[in-house]
Amino acid sequence: MNEEDKPPITKDIYIVLSCYNEEKTLREVVTQLVERGFKVLIIDDGSKDNSPVIARELVREYKGMVYHYRHIINVGLGGAIKTGIAAALEKGADIIITFDADGQHDPDDLYGMYPALQDGRADVVIASRDFSCMPTGRRFGNTVMNYITYIFQGKMVTDSQSGLRGFTSEAARKLDLKSPKYGISSEIIGEIKRKNLRFMEAPMTTIYDERTIQKGTNTKVGIKIILEFINETLR
């Protein structure tokens, strides 16, 4: 994208970067985000590789733009996102965007997300992947999860398991998130409905390689999410 086509950042935007054993991609992802003018909160969810060392180096290198929070043990995606949202709100963020540290997201897609949050057109923006470009197994798993999310959360969206989501600070404060694992993605969709938040979708490019294909919503993860929902419903 040309510089003149990039919408200006007029609010304080923090990226919540969930990280678990991402030593191969962490530095590149953080650098790309900082170069685009975003502040980054690295939420290290109990990594056992060199990610914590790299994160501390990035904090020193990009002082005032990058911050590092570490869970001593691996809590799960939901726990990392909740830690990141709380930290961003404490720092006075106007807009909070969740992002993955594994290199599967194109940082240029952020330019299609934050304008609607900055100018008040939306409370929440979720980036949606093109399912036709997904590997077959991932496409099937994510399509099923859209329907499971609708059944348990009461709202149908294009990509319920997208990891690229943006919130105004006001919307983020209203979220009552409980799931410590992958179920948080569907839980967020339910909160959009329950809290009557204004919702928009934006296009998203996903970078698939051997490593990222192994992650995310597969059949095993999907079953765990369903069991989470059932357990929560029975409480």
Side-chain angles (χ1 to χ4, degrees), residues 14-23 25-31 33-34 38-47 49-62 65-71 79-81 83-85 87-88 91 97 99-102:
Y14 280 80
I15 305 295
V16 172
L17 192 68
S18 303
C19 173
Y20 179 62
N21 294 340
E22 306 293 2
E23 64 181 9
T25 54
L26 181 58
R27 173 172 288 280
E28 180 181 3
V29 171
V30 171
T31 299
L33 292 170
V34 171
F38 301 106
K39 296 177 181 177
V40 181
L41 304 177
I42 301 171
I43 312 301
D44 172 19
D45 191 27
S47 293
D49 65 357
N50 207 38
S51 294
V53 175
I54 296 171
R56 289 192 291 270
E57 291 174 352
L58 289 165
V59 170
R60 291 193 293 270
E61 186 173 342
Y62 298 114
M65 292 294 289
V66 177
Y67 304 87
H68 176 216
Y69 296 79
R70 176 166 169 77
H71 293 162
I81 288 175
T83 294
I85 289 176
K91 288 188 173 297
I97 301 177
F99 204 91
D100 291 335
D102 60 5

Tab-separated table of all heavy atoms in Angstrom, residues 14-23 25-31 33-34 38-47 49-62 65-71 79-81 83-85 87-88 91 97 99-102:
chain	number	residue	atom	x	y	z
A	14	TYR	N	-3.277	0.254	20.371
A	14	TYR	CA	-2.409	-0.783	20.921
A	14	TYR	C	-2.740	-2.122	20.286
A	14	TYR	O	-3.915	-2.502	20.198
A	14	TYR	CB	-2.578	-0.893	22.436
A	14	TYR	CG	-1.818	0.145	23.228
A	14	TYR	CD1	-2.312	1.436	23.369
A	14	TYR	CD2	-0.602	-0.162	23.834
A	14	TYR	CE1	-1.615	2.397	24.095
A	14	TYR	CE2	0.101	0.789	24.564
A	14	TYR	CZ	-0.413	2.066	24.692
A	14	TYR	OH	0.277	3.017	25.411
A	15	ILE	N	-1.710	-2.844	19.876
A	15	ILE	CA	-1.863	-4.189	19.345
A	15	ILE	C	-1.587	-5.188	20.462
A	15	ILE	O	-0.525	-5.159	21.081
A	15	ILE	CB	-0.881	-4.456	18.182
A	15	ILE	CG1	-1.027	-3.388	17.089
A	15	ILE	CG2	-1.095	-5.859	17.626
A	15	ILE	CD1	-2.337	-3.377	16.380
A	16	VAL	N	-2.550	-6.063	20.733
A	16	VAL	CA	-2.355	-7.149	21.696
A	16	VAL	C	-1.830	-8.343	20.910
A	16	VAL	O	-2.560	-8.966	20.133
A	16	VAL	CB	-3.669	-7.499	22.417
A	16	VAL	CG1	-3.494	-8.758	23.262
A	16	VAL	CG2	-4.114	-6.338	23.291
A	17	LEU	N	-0.549	-8.653	21.090
A	17	LEU	CA	0.127	-9.681	20.308
A	17	LEU	C	0.266	-10.958	21.136
A	17	LEU	O	1.140	-11.063	21.999
A	17	LEU	CB	1.500	-9.166	19.866
A	17	LEU	CG	2.224	-9.996	18.806
A	17	LEU	CD1	1.491	-9.912	17.473
A	17	LEU	CD2	3.658	-9.509	18.645
A	18	SER	N	-0.607	-11.920	20.882
A	18	SER	CA	-0.552	-13.194	21.595
A	18	SER	C	0.642	-13.996	21.098
A	18	SER	O	0.815	-14.186	19.895
A	18	SER	CB	-1.837	-13.988	21.372
A	18	SER	OG	-2.959	-13.251	21.771
A	19	CYS	N	1.445	-14.496	22.035
A	19	CYS	CA	2.691	-15.156	21.659
A	19	CYS	C	2.909	-16.415	22.487
A	19	CYS	O	2.935	-16.357	23.718
A	19	CYS	CB	3.853	-14.178	21.857
A	19	CYS	SG	5.488	-14.920	21.629
A	20	TYR	N	3.075	-17.531	21.802
A	20	TYR	CA	3.454	-18.783	22.473
A	20	TYR	C	4.443	-19.525	21.577
A	20	TYR	O	4.093	-20.012	20.515
A	20	TYR	CB	2.228	-19.654	22.755
A	20	TYR	CG	2.570	-20.971	23.424
A	20	TYR	CD1	3.177	-20.988	24.680
A	20	TYR	CD2	2.316	-22.189	22.803
A	20	TYR	CE1	3.516	-22.177	25.298
A	20	TYR	CE2	2.637	-23.386	23.413
A	20	TYR	CZ	3.242	-23.379	24.662
A	20	TYR	OH	3.586	-24.575	25.278
A	21	ASN	N	5.703	-19.544	22.006
A	21	ASN	CA	6.778	-20.208	21.261
A	21	ASN	C	6.878	-19.688	19.822
A	21	ASN	O	6.805	-20.456	18.860
A	21	ASN	CB	6.574	-21.726	21.263
A	21	ASN	CG	6.718	-22.335	22.643
A	21	ASN	OD1	7.312	-21.742	23.538
A	21	ASN	ND2	6.176	-23.528	22.827
A	22	GLU	N	7.069	-18.378	19.678
A	22	GLU	CA	7.122	-17.758	18.350
A	22	GLU	C	8.481	-17.108	18.089
A	22	GLU	O	8.570	-16.043	17.492
A	22	GLU	CB	6.005	-16.711	18.202
A	22	GLU	CG	4.608	-17.204	18.494
A	22	GLU	CD	4.105	-18.231	17.489
A	22	GLU	OE1	4.860	-18.587	16.572
A	22	GLU	OE2	2.961	-18.693	17.651
A	23	GLU	N	9.559	-17.760	18.515
A	23	GLU	CA	10.883	-17.163	18.356
A	23	GLU	C	11.263	-16.934	16.893
A	23	GLU	O	12.053	-16.039	16.585
A	23	GLU	CB	11.943	-18.056	19.032
A	23	GLU	CG	12.077	-19.432	18.408
A	23	GLU	CD	13.120	-20.301	19.104
A	23	GLU	OE1	13.604	-19.892	20.172
A	23	GLU	OE2	13.432	-21.389	18.577
A	25	THR	N	9.304	-15.884	14.424
A	25	THR	CA	8.561	-14.819	13.744
A	25	THR	C	8.361	-13.565	14.579
A	25	THR	O	7.993	-12.519	14.035
A	25	THR	CB	7.172	-15.338	13.325
A	25	THR	OG1	6.509	-15.879	14.481
A	25	THR	CG2	7.289	-16.425	12.264
A	26	LEU	N	8.594	-13.641	15.881
A	26	LEU	CA	8.230	-12.544	16.788
A	26	LEU	C	8.887	-11.226	16.405
A	26	LEU	O	8.218	-10.186	16.324
A	26	LEU	CB	8.579	-12.914	18.230
A	26	LEU	CG	8.237	-11.867	19.298
A	26	LEU	CD1	6.750	-11.532	19.295
A	26	LEU	CD2	8.682	-12.361	20.677
A	27	ARG	N	10.176	-11.239	16.177
A	27	ARG	CA	10.880	-9.985	15.875
A	27	ARG	C	10.337	-9.343	14.603
A	27	ARG	O	10.088	-8.134	14.570
A	27	ARG	CB	12.390	-10.234	15.747
A	27	ARG	CG	13.172	-9.007	15.266
A	27	ARG	CD	14.658	-9.221	15.343
A	27	ARG	NE	15.111	-9.201	16.726
A	27	ARG	CZ	15.322	-8.093	17.433
A	27	ARG	NH1	15.105	-6.898	16.878
A	27	ARG	NH2	15.730	-8.160	18.673
A	28	GLU	N	10.156	-10.123	13.558
A	28	GLU	CA	9.677	-9.572	12.290
A	28	GLU	C	8.271	-8.996	12.437
A	28	GLU	O	7.987	-7.901	11.937
A	28	GLU	CB	9.674	-10.650	11.215
A	28	GLU	CG	9.185	-10.159	9.863
A	28	GLU	CD	9.161	-11.246	8.808
A	28	GLU	OE1	9.475	-12.408	9.126
A	28	GLU	OE2	8.814	-10.920	7.655
A	29	VAL	N	7.389	-9.712	13.122
A	29	VAL	CA	6.010	-9.249	13.284
A	29	VAL	C	5.974	-7.939	14.071
A	29	VAL	O	5.308	-6.977	13.671
A	29	VAL	CB	5.153	-10.321	13.986
A	29	VAL	CG1	3.782	-9.757	14.367
A	29	VAL	CG2	4.980	-11.538	13.086
A	30	VAL	N	6.685	-7.875	15.181
A	30	VAL	CA	6.691	-6.664	16.005
A	30	VAL	C	7.277	-5.494	15.229
A	30	VAL	O	6.735	-4.378	15.260
A	30	VAL	CB	7.477	-6.891	17.312
A	30	VAL	CG1	7.677	-5.571	18.055
A	30	VAL	CG2	6.741	-7.887	18.207
A	31	THR	N	8.371	-5.716	14.531
A	31	THR	CA	9.008	-4.647	13.750
A	31	THR	C	8.044	-4.088	12.702
A	31	THR	O	7.938	-2.862	12.532
A	31	THR	CB	10.283	-5.173	13.064
A	31	THR	OG1	11.211	-5.602	14.065
A	31	THR	CG2	10.927	-4.084	12.217
A	33	LEU	N	4.818	-4.028	12.800
A	33	LEU	CA	3.752	-3.278	13.456
A	33	LEU	C	4.245	-1.911	13.930
A	33	LEU	O	3.574	-0.892	13.742
A	33	LEU	CB	3.206	-4.083	14.638
A	33	LEU	CG	2.439	-5.364	14.265
A	33	LEU	CD1	2.171	-6.203	15.514
A	33	LEU	CD2	1.134	-5.029	13.565
A	34	VAL	N	5.415	-1.876	14.535
A	34	VAL	CA	5.970	-0.607	15.027
A	34	VAL	C	6.254	0.338	13.867
A	34	VAL	O	5.994	1.544	13.951
A	34	VAL	CB	7.251	-0.863	15.854
A	34	VAL	CG1	7.944	0.456	16.183
A	34	VAL	CG2	6.919	-1.619	17.141
A	38	PHE	N	2.067	1.496	15.252
A	38	PHE	CA	1.249	0.895	16.307
A	38	PHE	C	2.098	0.571	17.535
A	38	PHE	O	3.246	0.148	17.415
A	38	PHE	CB	0.597	-0.395	15.806
A	38	PHE	CG	-0.276	-0.208	14.607
A	38	PHE	CD1	0.146	-0.632	13.354
A	38	PHE	CD2	-1.511	0.401	14.716
A	38	PHE	CE1	-0.653	-0.458	12.234
A	38	PHE	CE2	-2.319	0.586	13.603
A	38	PHE	CZ	-1.885	0.151	12.362
A	39	LYS	N	1.520	0.765	18.708
A	39	LYS	CA	2.150	0.310	19.937
A	39	LYS	C	1.806	-1.158	20.144
A	39	LYS	O	0.698	-1.589	19.815
A	39	LYS	CB	1.675	1.155	21.125
A	39	LYS	CG	2.094	2.607	21.016
A	39	LYS	CD	1.558	3.447	22.160
A	39	LYS	CE	1.979	4.905	22.002
A	39	LYS	NZ	1.412	5.780	23.069
A	40	VAL	N	2.746	-1.919	20.662
A	40	VAL	CA	2.589	-3.374	20.722
A	40	VAL	C	2.750	-3.876	22.150
A	40	VAL	O	3.733	-3.560	22.829
A	40	VAL	CB	3.625	-4.075	19.812
A	40	VAL	CG1	3.433	-5.589	19.869
A	40	VAL	CG2	3.512	-3.577	18.378
A	41	LEU	N	1.775	-4.680	22.583
A	41	LEU	CA	1.848	-5.376	23.859
A	41	LEU	C	2.093	-6.848	23.566
A	41	LEU	O	1.190	-7.544	23.079
A	41	LEU	CB	0.549	-5.213	24.649
A	41	LEU	CG	0.080	-3.785	24.940
A	41	LEU	CD1	-1.260	-3.814	25.659
A	41	LEU	CD2	1.106	-3.039	25.767
A	42	ILE	N	3.303	-7.331	23.804
A	42	ILE	CA	3.602	-8.748	23.603
A	42	ILE	C	3.117	-9.512	24.832
A	42	ILE	O	3.597	-9.288	25.938
A	42	ILE	CB	5.114	-8.973	23.420
A	42	ILE	CG1	5.647	-8.176	22.226
A	42	ILE	CG2	5.417	-10.472	23.239
A	42	ILE	CD1	7.171	-8.183	22.125
A	43	ILE	N	2.143	-10.401	24.624
A	43	ILE	CA	1.634	-11.220	25.727
A	43	ILE	C	2.215	-12.604	25.558
A	43	ILE	O	1.713	-13.435	24.786
A	43	ILE	CB	0.093	-11.260	25.735
A	43	ILE	CG1	-0.486	-9.855	25.588
A	43	ILE	CG2	-0.387	-11.942	27.007
A	43	ILE	CD1	-0.072	-8.877	26.666
A	44	ASP	N	3.304	-12.862	26.287
A	44	ASP	CA	4.010	-14.137	26.187
A	44	ASP	C	3.316	-15.141	27.114
A	44	ASP	O	3.415	-15.050	28.330
A	44	ASP	CB	5.475	-13.929	26.576
A	44	ASP	CG	6.243	-15.223	26.677
A	44	ASP	OD1	5.775	-16.224	26.109
A	44	ASP	OD2	7.301	-15.229	27.329
A	45	ASP	N	2.617	-16.087	26.500
A	45	ASP	CA	1.800	-17.029	27.268
A	45	ASP	C	2.597	-18.279	27.654
A	45	ASP	O	2.300	-19.393	27.218
A	45	ASP	CB	0.562	-17.410	26.449
A	45	ASP	CG	-0.465	-18.166	27.266
A	45	ASP	OD1	-0.517	-17.977	28.493
A	45	ASP	OD2	-1.231	-18.949	26.664
A	46	GLY	N	3.628	-18.062	28.489
A	46	GLY	CA	4.410	-19.187	29.005
A	46	GLY	C	5.288	-19.861	27.978
A	46	GLY	O	5.483	-21.085	28.031
A	47	SER	N	5.844	-19.094	27.049
A	47	SER	CA	6.700	-19.680	26.017
A	47	SER	C	7.890	-20.413	26.630
A	47	SER	O	8.464	-19.976	27.631
A	47	SER	CB	7.224	-18.582	25.077
A	47	SER	OG	6.176	-18.022	24.319
A	49	ASP	N	10.463	-21.383	24.484
A	49	ASP	CA	11.586	-21.163	23.580
A	49	ASP	C	12.251	-19.822	23.889
A	49	ASP	O	12.187	-19.333	25.025
A	49	ASP	CB	11.125	-21.247	22.119
A	49	ASP	CG	10.151	-20.129	21.748
A	49	ASP	OD1	9.788	-19.322	22.636
A	49	ASP	OD2	9.753	-20.055	20.564
A	50	ASN	N	12.846	-19.200	22.894
A	50	ASN	CA	13.590	-17.953	23.099
A	50	ASN	C	12.713	-16.701	22.984
A	50	ASN	O	13.229	-15.588	22.995
A	50	ASN	CB	14.732	-17.881	22.069
A	50	ASN	CG	15.903	-17.048	22.558
A	50	ASN	OD1	16.257	-17.094	23.735
A	50	ASN	ND2	16.499	-16.293	21.658
A	51	SER	N	11.401	-16.883	22.892
A	51	SER	CA	10.489	-15.734	22.731
A	51	SER	C	10.639	-14.678	23.830
A	51	SER	O	10.657	-13.479	23.533
A	51	SER	CB	9.039	-16.212	22.666
A	51	SER	OG	8.808	-16.979	21.508
A	52	PRO	N	10.734	-15.053	25.121
A	52	PRO	CA	10.864	-14.027	26.173
A	52	PRO	C	12.122	-13.170	26.016
A	52	PRO	O	12.077	-11.959	26.254
A	52	PRO	CB	10.918	-14.842	27.466
A	52	PRO	CG	10.269	-16.142	27.132
A	52	PRO	CD	10.620	-16.415	25.703
A	53	VAL	N	13.213	-13.792	25.597
A	53	VAL	CA	14.458	-13.042	25.401
A	53	VAL	C	14.304	-12.049	24.259
A	53	VAL	O	14.680	-10.878	24.366
A	53	VAL	CB	15.628	-14.008	25.108
A	53	VAL	CG1	16.899	-13.217	24.775
A	53	VAL	CG2	15.865	-14.932	26.285
A	54	ILE	N	13.720	-12.508	23.167
A	54	ILE	CA	13.494	-11.635	22.014
A	54	ILE	C	12.553	-10.496	22.390
A	54	ILE	O	12.761	-9.336	21.995
A	54	ILE	CB	12.920	-12.441	20.832
A	54	ILE	CG1	13.942	-13.479	20.370
A	54	ILE	CG2	12.517	-11.516	19.680
A	54	ILE	CD1	13.399	-14.470	19.360
A	55	ALA	N	11.513	-10.812	23.166
A	55	ALA	CA	10.553	-9.782	23.582
A	55	ALA	C	11.242	-8.693	24.398
A	55	ALA	O	10.996	-7.495	24.187
A	55	ALA	CB	9.430	-10.418	24.398
A	56	ARG	N	12.105	-9.084	25.308
A	56	ARG	CA	12.813	-8.088	26.133
A	56	ARG	C	13.745	-7.237	25.283
A	56	ARG	O	13.896	-6.030	25.523
A	56	ARG	CB	13.588	-8.797	27.255
A	56	ARG	CG	12.688	-9.398	28.337
A	56	ARG	CD	13.482	-9.823	29.555
A	56	ARG	NE	14.334	-10.974	29.287
A	56	ARG	CZ	13.977	-12.251	29.442
A	56	ARG	NH1	12.745	-12.548	29.844
A	56	ARG	NH2	14.827	-13.234	29.206
A	57	GLU	N	14.362	-7.847	24.274
A	57	GLU	CA	15.218	-7.084	23.356
A	57	GLU	C	14.393	-6.048	22.594
A	57	GLU	O	14.826	-4.903	22.407
A	57	GLU	CB	15.901	-8.037	22.366
A	57	GLU	CG	16.942	-8.947	23.002
A	57	GLU	CD	17.477	-9.973	22.010
A	57	GLU	OE1	16.918	-10.069	20.885
A	57	GLU	OE2	18.440	-10.688	22.352
A	58	LEU	N	13.212	-6.437	22.175
A	58	LEU	CA	12.341	-5.531	21.421
A	58	LEU	C	11.854	-4.373	22.288
A	58	LEU	O	11.720	-3.242	21.806
A	58	LEU	CB	11.152	-6.312	20.860
A	58	LEU	CG	11.484	-7.277	19.710
A	58	LEU	CD1	10.341	-8.255	19.471
A	58	LEU	CD2	11.786	-6.496	18.426
A	59	VAL	N	11.609	-4.634	23.556
A	59	VAL	CA	11.205	-3.569	24.480
A	59	VAL	C	12.303	-2.515	24.576
A	59	VAL	O	12.034	-1.306	24.557
A	59	VAL	CB	10.887	-4.145	25.876
A	59	VAL	CG1	10.701	-3.016	26.891
A	59	VAL	CG2	9.624	-5.002	25.817
A	60	ARG	N	13.554	-2.977	24.663
A	60	ARG	CA	14.683	-2.035	24.736
A	60	ARG	C	14.882	-1.303	23.413
A	60	ARG	O	15.182	-0.104	23.391
A	60	ARG	CB	15.965	-2.790	25.123
A	60	ARG	CG	15.975	-3.315	26.556
A	60	ARG	CD	17.372	-3.773	26.962
A	60	ARG	NE	17.792	-4.943	26.193
A	60	ARG	CZ	17.580	-6.205	26.557
A	60	ARG	NH1	16.928	-6.464	27.693
A	60	ARG	NH2	18.004	-7.211	25.820
A	61	GLU	N	14.710	-2.022	22.330
A	61	GLU	CA	14.934	-1.444	21.006
A	61	GLU	C	13.869	-0.414	20.635
A	61	GLU	O	14.175	0.622	20.040
A	61	GLU	CB	14.950	-2.562	19.958
A	61	GLU	CG	15.313	-2.102	18.568
A	61	GLU	CD	15.467	-3.277	17.613
A	61	GLU	OE1	15.625	-4.424	18.092
A	61	GLU	OE2	15.437	-3.034	16.385
A	62	TYR	N	12.638	-0.690	21.001
A	62	TYR	CA	11.520	0.196	20.659
A	62	TYR	C	10.889	0.755	21.934
A	62	TYR	O	9.701	0.574	22.186
A	62	TYR	CB	10.471	-0.559	19.836
A	62	TYR	CG	10.974	-1.076	18.515
A	62	TYR	CD1	11.076	-2.440	18.271
A	62	TYR	CD2	11.338	-0.193	17.495
A	62	TYR	CE1	11.528	-2.920	17.054
A	62	TYR	CE2	11.796	-0.667	16.279
A	62	TYR	CZ	11.891	-2.035	16.059
A	62	TYR	OH	12.344	-2.493	14.850
A	65	MET	N	7.211	1.994	22.674
A	65	MET	CA	6.323	1.460	21.632
A	65	MET	C	6.005	-0.020	21.847
A	65	MET	O	4.977	-0.510	21.383
A	65	MET	CB	6.953	1.639	20.246
A	65	MET	CG	7.063	3.081	19.788
A	65	MET	SD	5.436	3.850	19.512
A	65	MET	CE	4.887	3.016	18.027
A	66	VAL	N	6.891	-0.732	22.529
A	66	VAL	CA	6.716	-2.167	22.746
A	66	VAL	C	6.807	-2.477	24.237
A	66	VAL	O	7.703	-1.977	24.930
A	66	VAL	CB	7.783	-2.984	21.973
A	66	VAL	CG1	7.630	-4.479	22.260
A	66	VAL	CG2	7.675	-2.728	20.481
A	67	TYR	N	5.876	-3.308	24.700
A	67	TYR	CA	5.837	-3.718	26.109
A	67	TYR	C	5.690	-5.235	26.165
A	67	TYR	O	5.109	-5.853	25.270
A	67	TYR	CB	4.667	-3.042	26.829
A	67	TYR	CG	4.692	-1.533	26.737
A	67	TYR	CD1	4.110	-0.873	25.656
A	67	TYR	CD2	5.316	-0.765	27.723
A	67	TYR	CE1	4.142	0.501	25.547
A	67	TYR	CE2	5.358	0.614	27.622
A	67	TYR	CZ	4.769	1.247	26.535
A	67	TYR	OH	4.802	2.614	26.433
A	68	HIS	N	6.200	-5.813	27.244
A	68	HIS	CA	6.223	-7.270	27.354
A	68	HIS	C	5.536	-7.704	28.650
A	68	HIS	O	5.879	-7.229	29.731
A	68	HIS	CB	7.682	-7.758	27.347
A	68	HIS	CG	7.848	-9.227	27.541
A	68	HIS	ND1	8.895	-9.782	28.249
A	68	HIS	CD2	7.089	-10.275	27.118
A	68	HIS	CE1	8.780	-11.094	28.250
A	68	HIS	NE2	7.698	-11.418	27.574
A	69	TYR	N	4.572	-8.602	28.505
A	69	TYR	CA	3.890	-9.212	29.658
A	69	TYR	C	4.053	-10.723	29.528
A	69	TYR	O	3.902	-11.267	28.432
A	69	TYR	CB	2.406	-8.847	29.675
A	69	TYR	CG	2.151	-7.370	29.854
A	69	TYR	CD1	2.281	-6.491	28.780
A	69	TYR	CD2	1.798	-6.853	31.100
A	69	TYR	CE1	2.066	-5.134	28.943
A	69	TYR	CE2	1.587	-5.491	31.266
A	69	TYR	CZ	1.714	-4.641	30.183
A	69	TYR	OH	1.506	-3.293	30.345
A	70	ARG	N	4.348	-11.383	30.633
A	70	ARG	CA	4.625	-12.822	30.555
A	70	ARG	C	3.806	-13.617	31.563
A	70	ARG	O	3.776	-13.300	32.757
A	70	ARG	CB	6.109	-13.076	30.788
A	70	ARG	CG	6.491	-14.571	30.816
A	70	ARG	CD	7.987	-14.776	30.699
A	70	ARG	NE	8.394	-16.144	30.971
A	70	ARG	CZ	8.257	-17.155	30.110
A	70	ARG	NH1	7.725	-16.952	28.934
A	70	ARG	NH2	8.665	-18.368	30.422
A	71	HIS	N	3.116	-14.647	31.058
A	71	HIS	CA	2.501	-15.644	31.927
A	71	HIS	C	3.564	-16.687	32.269
A	71	HIS	O	4.251	-17.182	31.371
A	71	HIS	CB	1.337	-16.343	31.219
A	71	HIS	CG	0.167	-15.452	30.954
A	71	HIS	ND1	-0.813	-15.769	30.040
A	71	HIS	CD2	-0.193	-14.259	31.485
A	71	HIS	CE1	-1.734	-14.812	30.018
A	71	HIS	NE2	-1.361	-13.879	30.883
A	79	GLY	N	-6.765	-16.475	27.860
A	79	GLY	CA	-6.055	-15.820	28.960
A	79	GLY	C	-5.113	-14.750	28.466
A	79	GLY	O	-4.994	-13.671	29.066
A	80	ALA	N	-4.425	-15.010	27.338
A	80	ALA	CA	-3.499	-14.023	26.779
A	80	ALA	C	-4.246	-12.787	26.305
A	80	ALA	O	-3.814	-11.647	26.546
A	80	ALA	CB	-2.716	-14.648	25.630
A	81	ILE	N	-5.383	-12.992	25.650
A	81	ILE	CA	-6.159	-11.849	25.150
A	81	ILE	C	-6.701	-11.022	26.307
A	81	ILE	O	-6.662	-9.775	26.268
A	81	ILE	CB	-7.295	-12.341	24.242
A	81	ILE	CG1	-6.721	-12.829	22.917
A	81	ILE	CG2	-8.315	-11.220	23.995
A	81	ILE	CD1	-7.732	-13.442	21.981
A	83	THR	N	-5.430	-10.719	29.324
A	83	THR	CA	-4.296	-9.984	29.891
A	83	THR	C	-3.958	-8.779	29.028
A	83	THR	O	-3.720	-7.669	29.538
A	83	THR	CB	-3.061	-10.900	30.008
A	83	THR	OG1	-3.313	-11.933	30.962
A	83	THR	CG2	-1.827	-10.106	30.447
A	84	GLY	N	-3.946	-8.977	27.710
A	84	GLY	CA	-3.599	-7.892	26.796
A	84	GLY	C	-4.606	-6.762	26.797
A	84	GLY	O	-4.232	-5.583	26.796
A	85	ILE	N	-5.891	-7.097	26.808
A	85	ILE	CA	-6.919	-6.051	26.828
A	85	ILE	C	-6.830	-5.241	28.116
A	85	ILE	O	-6.908	-4.006	28.096
A	85	ILE	CB	-8.318	-6.676	26.655
A	85	ILE	CG1	-8.491	-7.179	25.221
A	85	ILE	CG2	-9.408	-5.659	26.996
A	85	ILE	CD1	-9.797	-7.909	24.969
A	87	ALA	N	-4.210	-4.784	29.992
A	87	ALA	CA	-2.993	-3.965	29.955
A	87	ALA	C	-3.174	-2.755	29.055
A	87	ALA	O	-2.744	-1.639	29.389
A	87	ALA	CB	-1.817	-4.814	29.474
A	88	ALA	N	-3.810	-2.941	27.906
A	88	ALA	CA	-4.025	-1.829	26.975
A	88	ALA	C	-4.925	-0.764	27.590
A	88	ALA	O	-4.668	0.444	27.455
A	88	ALA	CB	-4.628	-2.353	25.667
A	91	LYS	N	-3.101	1.325	30.032
A	91	LYS	CA	-2.197	2.282	29.392
A	91	LYS	C	-2.937	3.411	28.672
A	91	LYS	O	-2.323	4.299	28.101
A	91	LYS	CB	-1.262	1.555	28.419
A	91	LYS	CG	-0.213	0.715	29.128
A	91	LYS	CD	0.809	0.166	28.151
A	91	LYS	CE	1.931	-0.525	28.910
A	91	LYS	NZ	2.692	0.406	29.773
A	97	ILE	N	-6.421	-3.812	19.225
A	97	ILE	CA	-6.534	-4.786	18.143
A	97	ILE	C	-5.746	-6.037	18.507
A	97	ILE	O	-4.573	-5.955	18.860
A	97	ILE	CB	-6.013	-4.214	16.813
A	97	ILE	CG1	-6.805	-2.961	16.424
A	97	ILE	CG2	-6.112	-5.259	15.695
A	97	ILE	CD1	-6.309	-2.284	15.154
A	99	PHE	N	-3.855	-9.557	17.575
A	99	PHE	CA	-3.015	-9.937	16.438
A	99	PHE	C	-2.222	-11.167	16.861
A	99	PHE	O	-1.926	-11.354	18.047
A	99	PHE	CB	-2.075	-8.769	16.115
A	99	PHE	CG	-1.548	-8.717	14.711
A	99	PHE	CD1	-2.225	-8.020	13.728
A	99	PHE	CD2	-0.347	-9.332	14.367
A	99	PHE	CE1	-1.737	-7.928	12.427
A	99	PHE	CE2	0.152	-9.253	13.077
A	99	PHE	CZ	-0.540	-8.552	12.100
A	100	ASP	N	-1.865	-12.018	15.898
A	100	ASP	CA	-1.083	-13.214	16.220
A	100	ASP	C	0.390	-12.997	15.895
A	100	ASP	O	0.723	-12.309	14.928
A	100	ASP	CB	-1.608	-14.426	15.447
A	100	ASP	CG	-2.983	-14.864	15.927
A	100	ASP	OD1	-3.305	-14.577	17.094
A	100	ASP	OD2	-3.724	-15.476	15.141
A	101	ALA	N	1.251	-13.622	16.683
A	101	ALA	CA	2.693	-13.435	16.523
A	101	ALA	C	3.331	-14.454	15.596
A	101	ALA	O	4.547	-14.446	15.416
A	101	ALA	CB	3.379	-13.505	17.899
A	102	ASP	N	2.532	-15.324	14.993
A	102	ASP	CA	3.108	-16.408	14.192
A	102	ASP	C	3.317	-16.052	12.727
A	102	ASP	O	3.734	-16.888	11.927
A	102	ASP	CB	2.242	-17.664	14.292
A	102	ASP	CG	0.817	-17.458	13.788
A	102	ASP	OD1	0.522	-16.374	13.263
A	102	ASP	OD2	0.004	-18.387	13.949
